[in-house]
Amino acid sequence: MSSAYDLDQVRHANATGRVPVVFVHDPWLLAESWEPWAEVFGQAGFVPVIPAWPADGEAAGHFAGLVGGLTRRPAVVGHAAGGLVAQILAGRGLACACVAISPAPFRGTLTYGRFRHAVANAVGEEEARRLYETYAVPAGEAADPWSLDGTAPDRGPLLLISGEMDRTVPWAAAHASYLRQARNRHHLTEIVELPGRGHSMTVDSGWREVCGTALTFVERFVEP
C-alpha cells in the first residue's frame, strides 16, 4: 500500500499538469537520496515524484500502481534494483522515457565494508562514510525477481548508465541488460559508460554529471 506522502505526491503532480519524473531508489538507500535530482529536474520543468520502496509485497506491482495514478505518463529514473523496476515499468507501457542506472536486482544486508567495496569504491573514505551514514539502509533487501519485457512496442526510449568503476554492476552486467533491451524494434535503446564513476554515482560528489546525463536524455524525447 502506498503511503499518504506518496499519494500526496501523485495528487500534486496531477494538479500541476506537467510531466512527472518518478525516481525509484535502490532498497539499500533512502528515497531522500533523490532529492538533489528532484531539484534539478524540477528546475527543468518536470514535476518530481519520489516514492518509498514498499515495506513488503512485490515492488514492481507497487510502483506500477502508484504510476497508474498519474494522469500523465511519466519519465522513470531508477538506480540499481530501482533501475530494474524502472525497466519493468517501461516494459509495461507506463513510462514515456526511462533511465536505468546500474540496473540489477539485489538481496542481502549492506554493511559498511560491503558498501565501501562495492558501492562507494570510487570516492574517498570520508565521503564513503558520509554517504553510508546519510543514505544507506543496512538491512534493506530487494524484492523477489520480476519479469521484464524489453521488446514491448510501447516501452519508450531507454538509456542505461554504467560506471567505469562500478563493482556491483560492472560493464558486462550493464551491457547484458542493454543487449536485451536493444532487441526492441520500436524504440531507441542507448547505453553510456561514465569514466571514473562507481556504484554510488547517484549520490556521491559526482552526481551532477550522472543527473545531467539522465536529464539530457529525457529532454530529447519529452517536453515538460
Side-chain angles (χ1 to χ4, degrees), residues 73-74 87 89-98 149-160 177-191 217 220-222:
R73 194 164 61 144
Q87 292 178 84
L89 297 179
R92 295 181 182 181
L94 298 175
C96 60
C98 176
D149 183 7
T151 62
D154 53 355
R155 187 205 69 187
L158 169 67
L159 172 67
L160 292 102
S177 295
Y178 165 75
L179 293 177
R180 181 174 182 178
Q181 292 284 4
R183 296 199 299 263
N184 191 302
R185 298 181 291 106
H186 309 281
H187 297 282
L188 179 73
T189 305
E190 294 183 351
I191 186 170
F217 180 82
R220 285 168 55 189
F221 306 97
V222 184

Side-chain angles (χ1 to χ4, degrees), residues 160-184:
L160 292 102
I161 299 178
S162 176
E164 178 191 19
M165 299 177 67
D166 194 332
R167 294 174 177 171
T168 304
V169 186
W171 169 259
H175 193 255
S177 295
Y178 165 75
L179 293 177
R180 181 174 182 178
Q181 292 284 4
R183 296 199 299 263
N184 191 302

Side-chain angles (χ1 to χ4, degrees), residues 8 11 25 30 41 53 59 83 93 132 150 175 183 194 208 215:
D8 283 344
R11 284 191 286 268
H25 66 97
L30 296 172
F41 274 76
W53 195 270
Y132 183 77
H175 193 255
R183 296 199 299 263
L194 298 183
R208 290 184 181 276
L215 177 60

Side-chain angles (χ1 to χ4, degrees), residues 41-125:
F41 274 76
Q43 290 173 350
F46 297 95
V47 55
V49 177
I50 313 176
W53 195 270
D56 55 286
E58 200 267 325
H62 169 81
F63 287 110
L66 193 74
V67 169
L70 293 166
T71 55
R72 299 195 67 178
R73 194 164 61 144
V76 181
V77 178
H79 173 234
L84 178 60
V85 170
Q87 292 178 84
I88 292 169
L89 297 179
R92 295 181 182 181
L94 298 175
C96 60
C98 176
V99 179
I101 305 163
S102 299
F106 298 102
R107 289 182 176 275
T109 299
L110 185 62
T111 63
Y112 173 73
R114 189 173 181 185
F115 181 87
R116 179 72 173 113
H117 175 78
V119 179
N121 61 294
V123 300
E125 182 70 24

